[in-house]
Amino acid sequence: MATEIILQFDGPIARVRMSTENGVHVFSQETRRQLAATLDQLEADDNSQVVIFSSHGRTFCAGADIYELRSLDEQTAYTIAREGQELMSRIERLRPVTIAAIHAACAGGGCELSLACDLRFGATGCRMGLPETSIGVIPGWGGTVRTARLFGPSVAKRIVLAAELWPAEAALGLGLLHEVFPDDEFQAAVEQEAARLLARGPIGLETSKRLLNSFVPGDIDEQLEQEAVAFAACYATGQPQEGVNAFLEKRAAKW
């Protein structure tokens, strides 16, 4: 049975959950089709401020379907790589802040999904990494590009070439995770992190995410000008004024 992608809208939080009977979640062709349809819904949604990707069972996500990988040739391998890359890029481009809530093993395409998210939180028992070179290929859904962009070529080489699944604390040290929480506190901690994001100004989060995602090394003066223009544009919405007033008045902001 293919891994199902289940979308639930919960007020300002959209929850995307992977589910399968044996608890080992893989991105089969059918699952990728479901993920694409889910992204269609998320891209059309104007209400969500946070999207949480999660699962239950033996894995967060084990990556691509190994049997499907075995059947590829050069042309079909290129096609599936571009298809997977586009799915991950669509996740990266989502307007809301995205969280990967990683409770267990997160490998290959599952790790690449997490790298496309803005924040990655792990339970102490989780492991994550890009093991593709151990089967003679490379991470093909953005893994080489995003590790180099996020962590620099040196750390990216350690992650990609080692082909290991790193324990939570090691993953934290490499930057694969932003925070690690005890297994028995993990779900509550993720909800708390989501609540913290919801307390921030929506336009500030959205604008910051857009700028950070578009950053490339280059002319710092041009980048600073773009940042200043975007900073000023926040004030056209009135949200910064409300945020400052709420801070000074020691109350929750009314966005």
Side-chain angles (χ1 to χ4, degrees):
M1 179 179 177
T3 297
E4 291 185 88
I5 304 295
I6 300 168
L7 173 62
Q8 176 188 3
F9 291 106
D10 182 13
I13 299 177
R15 303 178 188 276
V16 180
R17 183 167 61 87
M18 292 170 277
S19 176
T20 192
E21 288 182 359
N22 66 4
V24 178
H25 311 104
V26 297
F27 284 128
S28 66
Q29 184 177 33
E30 169 59 20
T31 302
R32 297 195 303 275
R33 185 196 66 76
Q34 291 185 30
L35 179 58
T38 295
L39 292 172
D40 289 342
Q41 292 180 265
L42 290 171
E43 289 164 350
D45 171 46
D46 293 328
N47 298 318
S48 298
Q49 297 176 43
V50 175
V51 179
I52 301 176
F53 290 86
S54 67
S55 65
H56 300 285
R58 295 159 56 191
T59 69
F60 170 77
C61 181
D65 185 336
I66 193 69
Y67 297 103
E68 189 175 346
L69 292 180
R70 185 171 62 176
S71 68
L72 299 179
D73 57 25
E74 185 174 358
Q75 182 56 51
T76 54
Y78 177 82
T79 300
I80 197 174
R82 294 300 289 171
E83 177 189 337
Q85 287 173 351
E86 176 59 19
L87 286 173
M88 302 309 147
S89 292
R90 288 179 68 185
I91 291 171
E92 185 175 62
R93 293 192 298 261
L94 286 173
R95 176 190 52 77
V97 177
T98 51
I99 294 173
I102 303 166
H103 75 289
C106 174
C111 186
E112 287 171 304
L113 182 150
S114 77
L115 292 173
C117 291
D118 300 311
L119 298 169
R120 297 173 295 280
F121 300 130
T124 51
C126 81
R127 295 178 300 144
M128 64 186 304
L130 297 168
E132 284 86 347
T133 61
S134 68
I135 60 169
V137 292
I138 67 169
W141 289 353
T144 63
V145 175
R146 287 194 174 87
T147 53
R149 191 181 73 187
L150 292 171
F151 315 126
S154 180
V155 174
K157 288 176 182 178
R158 181 70 173 134
I159 294 168
V160 174
L161 302 183
E164 295 182 20
L165 290 186
W166 305 89
E169 289 299 328
L172 179 65
L174 288 167
L176 286 168
L177 291 173
H178 290 100
E179 195 74 54
V180 173
F181 301 106
D183 290 339
D184 59 351
E185 300 174 12
F186 180 62
Q187 297 300 329
V190 170
E191 294 299 321
Q192 186 175 35
E193 292 293 336
R196 184 175 289 116
L197 290 167
L198 293 175
R200 307 299 181 239
I203 194 64
L205 289 177
E206 182 179 340
T207 305
S208 296
K209 172 175 175 170
R210 176 171 53 80
L211 287 173
L212 292 168
N213 279 353
S214 65
F215 173 79
V216 292
D219 185 346
I220 190 171
D221 290 332
E222 179 182 347
Q223 291 163 357
L224 290 171
E225 170 62 16
Q226 291 174 354
E227 185 178 82
V229 170
F231 180 79
C234 293
Y235 279 79
T237 69
Q239 290 186 10
Q241 293 89 332
E242 166 61 9
V244 170
N245 288 337
F247 175 82
L248 293 174
E249 295 166 14
K250 295 181 172 51
R251 60 173 173 80
K254 299 176 182 177
W255 304 115

